[in-house]
Coordinates of all heavy atoms in Angstrom, one line a residue:
M207 N 0.0 13.3 3.4 CA 0.0 12.0 4.1 C -0.6 11.0 3.1 O -1.4 11.3 2.3 CB -0.7 12.1 5.4 CG 0.3 11.8 6.5 SD 0.2 10.2 7.2 CE -1.5 10.0 7.7
A208 N -0.4 9.8 3.4 CA -1.1 8.7 2.7 C -0.9 7.4 3.4 O 0.0 7.4 4.4 CB -0.5 8.5 1.2
Y209 N -1.6 6.4 3.0 CA -1.4 5.1 3.6 C -0.3 4.3 2.7 O -0.2 4.7 1.6 CB -2.7 4.3 3.7 CG -3.5 4.6 5.0 CD1 -4.0 5.9 5.2 CD2 -3.6 3.7 6.0 CE1 -4.6 6.2 6.3 CE2 -4.2 4.0 7.2 CZ -4.7 5.3 7.4 OH -5.4 5.6 8.5
V210 N 0.3 3.4 3.3 CA 1.5 2.8 2.6 C 1.4 1.3 2.8 O 1.1 0.8 3.9 CB 2.8 3.3 3.3 CG1 4.0 2.6 2.7 CG2 2.9 4.8 3.2
I211 N 1.7 0.5 1.7 CA 1.7 -0.9 1.8 C 3.1 -1.4 2.0 O 4.0 -1.1 1.2 CB 1.1 -1.5 0.6 CG1 -0.5 -1.1 0.5 CG2 1.1 -3.1 0.6 CD1 -1.2 -1.7 -0.7
C212 N 3.3 -2.2 3.0 CA 4.7 -2.6 3.4 C 4.9 -4.1 3.1 O 4.1 -4.9 2.5 CB 4.9 -2.3 4.8 SG 4.7 -0.6 5.3
E213 N 6.1 -4.6 3.4 CA 6.7 -5.9 3.1 C 5.6 -7.1 3.3 O 5.7 -8.0 2.5 CB 7.9 -6.1 3.8 CG 8.8 -7.2 3.1 CD 9.2 -8.2 4.1 OE1 9.1 -8.0 5.4 OE2 9.6 -9.3 3.7
P214 N 4.8 -7.1 4.3 CA 3.9 -8.3 4.5 C 3.1 -8.6 3.3 O 2.6 -9.8 3.2 CB 3.1 -8.0 5.8 CG 4.1 -7.0 6.5 CD 4.7 -6.3 5.5
C215 N 2.8 -7.6 2.5 CA 1.9 -7.9 1.3 C 2.6 -8.9 0.4 O 1.9 -9.7 -0.3 CB 1.6 -6.6 0.6 SG 0.5 -6.8 -0.9
I216 N 3.9 -8.9 0.3 CA 4.6 -9.7 -0.6 C 4.4 -11.2 -0.2 O 4.6 -11.6 0.9 CB 6.2 -9.5 -0.6 CG1 6.4 -8.0 -1.0 CG2 7.0 -10.5 -1.4 CD1 7.9 -7.5 -0.8
G217 N 3.9 -12.0 -1.2 CA 3.6 -13.4 -1.0 C 2.1 -13.6 -0.6 O 1.6 -14.7 -0.6
T218 N 1.4 -12.5 -0.3 CA 0.0 -12.6 0.0 C -0.9 -12.0 -1.0 O -1.5 -12.6 -1.8 CB -0.4 -12.0 1.4 OG1 0.4 -12.5 2.5 CG2 -1.9 -12.2 1.7
K219 N -0.8 -10.6 -1.2 CA -1.3 -9.9 -2.4 C -2.6 -10.3 -2.7 O -3.0 -10.7 -3.9 CB -0.3 -10.2 -3.5 CG -0.2 -9.1 -4.6 CD 0.6 -9.6 -5.7 CE 0.5 -8.6 -6.9 NZ 0.9 -9.1 -8.1
D220 N -3.6 -10.4 -1.7 CA -4.9 -11.0 -2.0 C -5.9 -9.9 -2.4 O -7.1 -10.3 -2.7 CB -5.5 -11.7 -0.7 CG -5.8 -10.7 0.4 OD1 -5.2 -9.5 0.4 OD2 -6.5 -11.1 1.3
A221 N -5.5 -8.7 -2.4 CA -6.3 -7.6 -3.1 C -7.6 -7.3 -2.1 O -8.5 -6.5 -2.6 CB -6.8 -7.9 -4.5
S222 N -7.6 -7.7 -0.9 CA -8.7 -7.3 0.0 C -8.8 -5.8 0.0 O -9.9 -5.2 0.1 CB -8.5 -7.9 1.4 OG -8.5 -9.2 1.4
C223 N -7.6 -5.1 0.1 CA -7.6 -3.7 0.2 C -8.2 -2.9 -0.9 O -8.7 -1.9 -0.9 CB -6.2 -3.2 0.6 SG -5.0 -3.8 -0.7
V224 N -7.9 -3.5 -2.1 CA -8.3 -2.9 -3.4 C -9.9 -2.7 -3.4 O -10.4 -1.7 -3.8 CB -7.9 -3.7 -4.6 CG1 -8.4 -3.2 -5.8 CG2 -6.4 -3.9 -4.6
E225 N -10.5 -3.7 -2.9 CA -12.1 -3.6 -2.8 C -12.5 -2.6 -1.8 O -13.6 -2.1 -1.9 CB -12.6 -5.0 -2.6 CG -12.1 -6.0 -3.5 CD -13.0 -7.2 -3.8 OE1 -14.0 -7.3 -3.2 OE2 -12.6 -8.0 -4.7
A226 N -11.8 -2.5 -0.8 CA -12.1 -1.6 0.3 C -11.9 0.0 -0.1 O -12.5 0.9 0.6 CB -11.4 -1.9 1.6
C227 N -11.0 0.2 -1.0 CA -10.6 1.6 -1.2 C -11.7 2.3 -2.0 O -12.1 2.0 -3.1 CB -9.3 1.6 -2.0 SG -8.8 3.3 -2.3
P228 N -12.3 3.4 -1.5 CA -13.3 4.2 -2.2 C -12.8 5.0 -3.4 O -13.6 5.4 -4.2 CB -13.9 5.1 -1.1 CG -12.7 5.4 -0.2 CD -11.9 4.1 -0.2
V229 N -11.5 5.2 -3.5 CA -11.0 6.0 -4.6 C -10.1 5.3 -5.6 O -9.5 5.9 -6.4 CB -10.2 7.3 -4.0 CG1 -11.2 8.2 -3.3 CG2 -9.1 7.0 -3.2
D230 N -10.1 4.0 -5.5 CA -9.4 3.1 -6.4 C -7.9 3.5 -6.6 O -7.5 3.6 -7.7 CB -10.2 3.1 -7.7 CG -9.7 2.0 -8.7 OD1 -9.2 1.0 -8.2 OD2 -9.7 2.2 -9.9
C231 N -7.2 3.8 -5.5 CA -5.8 4.2 -5.6 C -4.8 3.0 -5.3 O -3.6 3.4 -5.1 CB -5.6 5.4 -4.8 SG -5.6 5.2 -3.0
I232 N -5.3 1.8 -5.2 CA -4.4 0.7 -4.8 C -4.2 -0.2 -6.1 O -5.2 -0.7 -6.6 CB -4.9 -0.2 -3.6 CG1 -5.3 0.8 -2.5 CG2 -3.9 -1.3 -3.3 CD1 -5.8 0.0 -1.2
H233 N -3.0 -0.3 -6.5 CA -2.7 -1.0 -7.8 C -1.5 -1.9 -7.8 O -0.6 -1.8 -7.0 CB -2.5 0.1 -8.9 CG -3.7 1.0 -9.0 ND1 -4.8 0.6 -9.9 CD2 -3.9 2.3 -8.6 CE1 -5.6 1.7 -9.8 NE2 -5.1 2.6 -9.2
A234 N -1.6 -2.9 -8.7 CA -0.5 -3.8 -9.1 C -0.9 -4.5 -10.3 O -2.0 -4.7 -10.6 CB -0.3 -4.8 -7.9
T235 N 0.2 -5.0 -11.0 CA -0.1 -5.9 -12.1 C 0.2 -7.3 -11.6 O 0.8 -7.5 -10.5 CB 0.9 -5.7 -13.2 OG1 2.3 -5.9 -12.8 CG2 0.8 -4.2 -13.7
D236 N -0.1 -8.3 -12.4 CA 0.1 -9.7 -11.9 C 1.7 -10.0 -11.7 O 2.0 -10.7 -10.8 CB -0.3 -10.7 -13.0 CG -1.8 -10.8 -13.0 OD1 -2.5 -10.3 -12.1 OD2 -2.4 -11.3 -14.0
A237 N 2.5 -9.2 -12.4 CA 3.9 -9.4 -12.3 C 4.5 -8.7 -11.0 O 5.7 -9.1 -10.6 CB 4.6 -8.9 -13.5
D238 N 3.9 -7.8 -10.4 CA 4.4 -7.1 -9.3 C 4.4 -7.9 -8.1 O 3.5 -8.7 -7.9 CB 3.6 -5.7 -9.0 CG 3.7 -4.8 -10.1 OD1 4.8 -4.7 -10.8 OD2 2.7 -4.1 -10.4
E239 N 5.3 -7.7 -7.1 CA 5.4 -8.6 -5.9 C 4.4 -8.2 -4.9 O 4.1 -8.9 -4.0 CB 6.8 -8.6 -5.4 CG 7.3 -7.2 -5.0 CD 8.8 -7.3 -4.5 OE1 9.4 -8.3 -4.5 OE2 9.2 -6.1 -4.1
Q240 N 4.0 -7.0 -4.9 CA 2.9 -6.5 -3.9 C 2.1 -5.4 -4.6 O 2.3 -5.0 -5.7 CB 3.7 -5.9 -2.8 CG 4.5 -4.5 -3.2 CD 5.0 -3.7 -2.0 OE1 6.0 -3.8 -1.5 NE2 4.0 -2.8 -1.5
Y241 N 1.0 -5.0 -3.8 CA 0.2 -3.9 -4.2 C 0.8 -2.6 -3.7 O 1.6 -2.6 -2.7 CB -1.2 -4.0 -3.7 CG -2.1 -4.9 -4.6 CD1 -2.1 -6.3 -4.5 CD2 -2.9 -4.3 -5.5 CE1 -2.9 -7.0 -5.4 CE2 -3.6 -5.0 -6.4 CZ -3.6 -6.4 -6.3 OH -4.4 -7.2 -7.1
Y242 N 0.5 -1.4 -4.3 CA 1.0 -0.2 -3.9 C -0.2 0.9 -3.9 O -1.1 0.8 -4.6 CB 2.1 0.4 -4.9 CG 3.2 -0.5 -5.1 CD1 3.3 -1.5 -6.2 CD2 4.3 -0.4 -4.2 CE1 4.3 -2.4 -6.3 CE2 5.4 -1.3 -4.4 CZ 5.4 -2.2 -5.5 OH 6.5 -3.1 -5.5
I243 N 0.0 1.8 -3.0 CA -1.0 2.9 -2.7 C -0.5 4.2 -3.4 O 0.7 4.6 -3.1 CB -1.3 3.2 -1.3 CG1 -2.1 1.9 -0.8 CG2 -2.2 4.4 -1.1 CD1 -2.3 1.9 0.7
D244 N -1.3 4.8 -4.4 CA -0.8 6.1 -4.9 C -1.0 7.2 -3.9 O -2.2 7.6 -3.6 CB -1.8 6.3 -6.2 CG -1.3 7.6 -6.9 OD1 -0.5 8.4 -6.3 OD2 -1.8 7.8 -7.9
P245 N 0.0 7.8 -3.5 CA -0.1 8.8 -2.4 C -0.8 10.1 -2.8 O -1.2 10.8 -2.0 CB 1.4 9.0 -1.9 CG 2.2 8.6 -3.1 CD 1.4 7.5 -3.8
D246 N -0.8 10.3 -4.1 CA -1.5 11.5 -4.5 C -2.9 11.4 -4.7 O -3.6 12.4 -4.8 CB -0.8 11.9 -6.0 CG 0.5 12.4 -5.9 OD1 1.1 12.7 -4.9 OD2 1.3 12.2 -6.9
T247 N -3.4 10.1 -4.7 CA -4.8 9.9 -4.8 C -5.5 9.5 -3.4 O -6.6 9.8 -3.2 CB -5.1 8.9 -5.8 OG1 -4.4 9.2 -7.1 CG2 -6.6 8.8 -6.2
C248 N -4.7 8.9 -2.7 CA -5.2 8.4 -1.3 C -5.8 9.6 -0.5 O -5.1 10.6 -0.4 CB -4.0 7.7 -0.6 SG -4.5 7.2 1.1
I249 N -7.0 9.4 0.0 CA -7.6 10.4 0.8 C -7.5 10.1 2.3 O -8.2 10.7 3.1 CB -9.1 10.6 0.4 CG1 -9.9 9.2 0.6 CG2 -9.2 11.1 -1.0 CD1 -11.4 9.3 0.4
D250 N -6.7 9.2 2.7 CA -6.4 8.9 4.1 C -7.6 8.4 4.9 O -7.8 8.8 6.0 CB -5.8 10.1 4.8 CG -4.4 10.3 4.5 OD1 -3.7 9.3 4.7 OD2 -3.9 11.4 4.3
C251 N -8.5 7.7 4.2 CA -9.8 7.3 4.9 C -9.6 6.1 5.9 O -10.4 6.0 6.8 CB -10.8 6.9 3.9 SG -10.5 5.4 3.0
G252 N -8.5 5.4 5.6 CA -8.2 4.3 6.5 C -9.0 3.0 6.3 O -8.8 2.0 7.0
A253 N -9.8 3.0 5.2 CA -10.6 1.8 5.0 C -9.8 0.5 4.7 O -10.3 -0.6 5.1 CB -11.6 2.1 4.0
C254 N -8.7 0.7 4.1 CA -7.9 -0.5 3.7 C -7.2 -1.2 4.8 O -6.9 -2.3 4.8 CB -6.8 0.0 2.7 SG -5.9 1.4 3.3
E255 N -6.8 -0.4 5.8 CA -6.0 -0.9 6.9 C -6.5 -2.1 7.6 O -5.8 -3.2 7.7 CB -5.6 0.2 7.8 CG -4.6 -0.1 8.8 CD -4.3 0.9 9.9 OE1 -4.8 2.0 9.8 OE2 -3.7 0.7 10.9
P256 N -7.7 -2.1 8.1 CA -8.2 -3.2 8.9 C -8.5 -4.4 8.0 O -8.6 -5.6 8.7 CB -9.4 -2.7 9.6 CG -9.9 -1.6 8.7 CD -8.7 -0.9 8.1
V257 N -8.7 -4.4 6.8 CA -9.1 -5.5 6.0 C -7.9 -6.4 5.5 O -8.0 -7.4 5.0 CB -10.0 -5.1 4.7 CG1 -11.2 -4.4 5.1 CG2 -9.1 -4.3 3.7
C258 N -6.7 -5.8 5.7 CA -5.4 -6.6 5.3 C -5.2 -7.7 6.3 O -5.1 -7.5 7.4 CB -4.3 -5.6 5.2 SG -2.8 -6.5 4.7
P259 N -5.2 -9.0 5.7 CA -5.0 -10.1 6.5 C -3.6 -10.3 7.2 O -3.4 -11.1 8.1 CB -5.3 -11.3 5.7 CG -4.9 -10.9 4.3 CD -5.4 -9.4 4.3
V260 N -2.7 -9.5 6.7 CA -1.3 -9.7 7.2 C -0.7 -8.4 7.7 O 0.5 -8.2 7.9 CB -0.4 -10.2 6.0 CG1 -0.8 -11.6 5.7 CG2 -0.4 -9.3 4.7
T261 N -1.6 -7.4 7.9 CA -1.1 -6.1 8.6 C -0.1 -5.5 7.8 O 1.0 -5.2 8.3 CB -0.8 -6.3 10.0 OG1 -1.7 -7.2 10.7 CG2 -0.7 -4.9 10.8
A262 N -0.2 -5.3 6.5 CA 0.8 -4.7 5.7 C 0.7 -3.3 5.5 O 1.5 -2.5 5.0 CB 0.8 -5.4 4.3
I263 N -0.6 -2.7 5.9 CA -1.0 -1.3 5.5 C -0.8 -0.5 6.8 O -1.4 -0.8 7.8 CB -2.4 -1.2 4.9 CG1 -2.5 -2.2 3.7 CG2 -2.7 0.2 4.5 CD1 -3.9 -2.3 3.1
Y264 N -0.1 0.6 6.6 CA 0.0 1.6 7.8 C -0.2 3.0 7.2 O 0.1 3.3 6.1 CB 1.4 1.5 8.4 CG 1.8 0.2 8.9 CD1 2.3 -0.8 8.2 CD2 1.6 0.0 10.3 CE1 2.7 -2.0 8.8 CE2 1.9 -1.3 10.9 CZ 2.4 -2.2 10.1 OH 2.8 -3.5 10.7
A265 N -0.7 3.9 8.2 CA -0.6 5.3 7.9 C 0.8 5.7 7.8 O 1.7 5.1 8.5 CB -1.3 6.1 8.9
E266 N 1.1 6.6 6.8 CA 2.5 7.0 6.6 C 3.2 7.3 8.0 O 4.4 6.9 8.2 CB 2.6 8.1 5.7 CG 4.0 8.5 5.3 CD 4.1 9.7 4.3 OE1 3.2 9.7 3.4 OE2 5.0 10.4 4.3
S267 N 2.6 8.1 8.8 CA 3.2 8.4 10.1 C 3.4 7.2 11.1 O 4.1 7.3 12.1 CB 2.3 9.5 10.8 OG 0.9 9.0 10.9
D268 N 2.7 6.1 10.9 CA 2.9 4.9 11.7 C 3.7 3.8 11.1 O 3.7 2.7 11.7 CB 1.4 4.4 12.0 CG 0.5 5.4 12.8 OD1 1.1 6.2 13.5 OD2 -0.7 5.3 12.7
V269 N 4.2 4.0 10.0 CA 5.0 3.0 9.3 C 6.2 2.6 10.2 O 7.0 3.4 10.6 CB 5.6 3.3 7.9 CG1 6.6 2.3 7.4 CG2 4.5 3.6 6.9
P270 N 6.3 1.2 10.6 CA 7.3 0.8 11.5 C 8.8 1.1 10.8 O 8.9 1.1 9.6 CB 7.1 -0.7 11.6 CG 5.7 -0.9 11.2 CD 5.4 0.2 10.2
G271 N 9.7 1.3 11.6 CA 11.1 1.7 11.2 C 11.6 0.7 10.2 O 12.2 1.1 9.1
E272 N 11.4 -0.6 10.3 CA 12.0 -1.5 9.4 C 11.3 -1.4 8.0 O 11.8 -2.0 7.0 CB 12.0 -2.9 9.9 CG 10.6 -3.7 9.9 CD 9.9 -3.6 11.3 OE1 9.9 -2.6 12.0 OE2 9.3 -4.6 11.7
Y273 N 10.2 -0.8 7.9 CA 9.5 -0.7 6.6 C 9.6 0.7 6.0 O 8.8 1.0 5.1 CB 8.0 -1.1 6.7 CG 7.7 -2.6 7.2 CD1 6.7 -2.7 8.0 CD2 8.6 -3.5 6.8 CE1 6.4 -4.0 8.4 CE2 8.4 -4.9 7.3 CZ 7.2 -5.2 8.0 OH 7.0 -6.4 8.5
E274 N 10.3 1.6 6.6 CA 10.4 3.0 6.2 C 10.6 3.2 4.7 O 10.0 4.1 4.0 CB 11.4 3.8 7.0 CG 11.0 5.2 7.1 CD 11.8 5.8 8.3 OE1 12.1 5.2 9.4 OE2 12.2 7.0 8.2
S275 N 11.4 2.3 4.1 CA 11.7 2.5 2.7 C 10.5 2.2 1.8 O 10.4 2.6 0.5 CB 12.7 1.4 2.2 OG 12.3 0.1 2.4
Y276 N 9.4 1.6 2.3 CA 8.2 1.4 1.6 C 7.5 2.6 1.3 O 6.6 2.6 0.4 CB 7.3 0.3 2.2 CG 7.9 -1.1 2.0 CD1 9.0 -1.6 2.8 CD2 7.4 -1.9 1.0 CE1 9.6 -2.8 2.5 CE2 7.9 -3.2 0.8 CZ 9.0 -3.6 1.5 OH 9.6 -4.8 1.2
I277 N 7.6 3.7 2.1 CA 7.0 5.0 1.7 C 7.4 5.4 0.4 O 6.5 5.8 -0.5 CB 7.4 6.0 2.9 CG1 6.8 5.5 4.2 CG2 6.7 7.4 2.5 CD1 7.3 6.4 5.4
Q278 N 8.7 5.4 0.2 CA 9.2 5.8 -1.1 C 8.8 4.8 -2.3 O 8.5 5.2 -3.4 CB 10.7 6.0 -1.1 CG 11.4 6.8 -2.2 CD 10.8 8.2 -2.4 OE1 10.9 8.9 -1.4 NE2 10.3 8.6 -3.5
K279 N 8.9 3.5 -1.8 CA 8.6 2.4 -2.8 C 7.2 2.6 -3.4 O 6.9 2.4 -4.6 CB 8.9 1.1 -2.1 CG 8.9 -0.1 -3.1 CD 9.2 -1.4 -2.3 CE 9.1 -2.6 -3.3 NZ 9.2 -3.9 -2.5
N280 N 6.2 2.8 -2.5 CA 4.8 3.1 -3.0 C 4.8 4.3 -3.9 O 4.2 4.2 -4.9 CB 3.9 3.2 -1.8 CG 3.5 1.9 -1.2 OD1 2.2 1.5 -1.2 ND2 4.4 1.1 -0.6
A281 N 5.4 5.3 -3.5 CA 5.3 6.6 -4.3 C 6.0 6.4 -5.7 O 5.5 6.8 -6.7 CB 6.0 7.8 -3.5
D282 N 7.2 5.7 -5.6 CA 7.9 5.6 -6.9 C 7.1 4.7 -7.9 O 7.4 4.9 -9.1 CB 9.2 4.9 -6.6 CG 10.3 5.9 -6.0 OD1 10.0 7.1 -6.0 OD2 11.3 5.4 -5.4
Y283 N 6.4 3.8 -7.4 CA 5.5 2.9 -8.3 C 4.7 3.7 -9.3 O 4.5 3.3 -10.5 CB 4.7 2.0 -7.5 CG 3.9 1.0 -8.4 CD1 4.6 -0.2 -8.8 CD2 2.6 1.2 -8.7 CE1 3.9 -1.0 -9.7 CE2 1.9 0.3 -9.5 CZ 2.5 -0.8 -10.0 OH 1.8 -1.7 -10.7
F284 N 4.3 4.9 -8.9 CA 3.3 5.6 -9.7 C 4.1 6.7 -10.5 O 3.5 7.5 -11.3 CB 2.2 6.2 -8.8 CG 1.4 5.2 -8.2 CD1 1.6 4.7 -6.9 CD2 0.4 4.6 -8.8 CE1 0.9 3.8 -6.3 CE2 -0.4 3.6 -8.3 CZ -0.1 3.2 -7.0
K285 N 5.4 6.7 -10.4 CA 6.2 7.6 -11.2 C 6.7 7.1 -12.5 O 7.3 7.7 -13.3 CB 7.4 8.2 -10.4 CG 6.9 9.1 -9.3 CD 8.1 9.6 -8.5 CE 7.6 10.4 -7.3 NZ 8.6 10.3 -6.2
K286 N 6.5 5.7 -12.7 CA 7.0 5.0 -13.9 C 6.3 5.6 -15.1 O 5.1 5.9 -15.1 CB 6.6 3.5 -13.7 CG 7.5 2.7 -12.8 CD 7.1 1.3 -12.8 CE 7.5 0.6 -11.6 NZ 6.7 -0.7 -11.4
Ligands
LIG90 S1 -6.6 5.0 3.2 FE1 -8.5 5.0 2.0 S2 -8.1 6.2 0.1 FE2 -6.0 5.5 1.0 S3 -5.5 3.7 0.1 FE3 -6.6 3.1 1.9 S4 -8.7 2.8 1.4 FE4 -7.7 3.9 -0.3
LIG91 S1 -5.0 -6.5 1.7 FE1 -2.9 -6.6 2.5 S2 -1.9 -8.4 1.6 FE2 -3.9 -8.0 0.6 S3 -3.2 -6.9 -1.3 FE3 -3.8 -5.4 0.3 S4 -1.9 -4.9 1.3 FE4 -1.5 -6.8 0.2

């Protein structure tokens, strides 16, 4: 399991979650449209979820149906 960053991050991308993460597994470059969580490094602590101002972060098991593709989108980002 892992936490997943979904569509609301696009256009906000304020990096609040990055500072909250104890294992530094949330990444993006300036050119990326959103931040992504590395599912292999995330320890499921949940610290990032409440600090997001736009409710973009969900536990994988709680990702709303319309954002389901973001589970793969986050994982794929780290396979580049
Ligand atoms: S759940 Fe914890 S480890 Fe995973 S991305 Fe959020 S802050 Fe980082
Ligand atoms: S806190 Fe939310 S909006 Fe800000 S970078 Fe993280 S996921 Fe994106």
Side-chain angles (χ1 to χ4, degrees):
M207 245 262 298
Y209 277 65
V210 177
I211 299 181
C212 301
E213 203 233 340
C215 182
I216 299 172
T218 301
K219 209 187 167 200
D220 71 340
S222 301
C223 55
V224 175
E225 309 209 354
C227 180
V229 295
D230 193 27
C231 69
I232 307 177
H233 297 281
T235 65
D236 286 347
D238 294 327
E239 61 182 3
Q240 67 165 92
Y241 275 84
Y242 300 96
I243 293 172
D244 182 350
D246 292 336
T247 311
C248 175
I249 57 170
D250 279 319
C251 73
C254 53
E255 185 183 351
V257 303
C258 178
V260 291
T261 318
I263 307 176
Y264 296 88
E266 186 175 326
S267 55
D268 295 334
V269 171
E272 74 261 41
Y273 298 148
E274 209 162 319
S275 64
Y276 282 78
I277 298 171
Q278 194 63 48
K279 192 177 175 188
N280 278 246
D282 285 349
Y283 181 80
F284 297 94
K285 290 179 186 153
K286 282 181 205 164

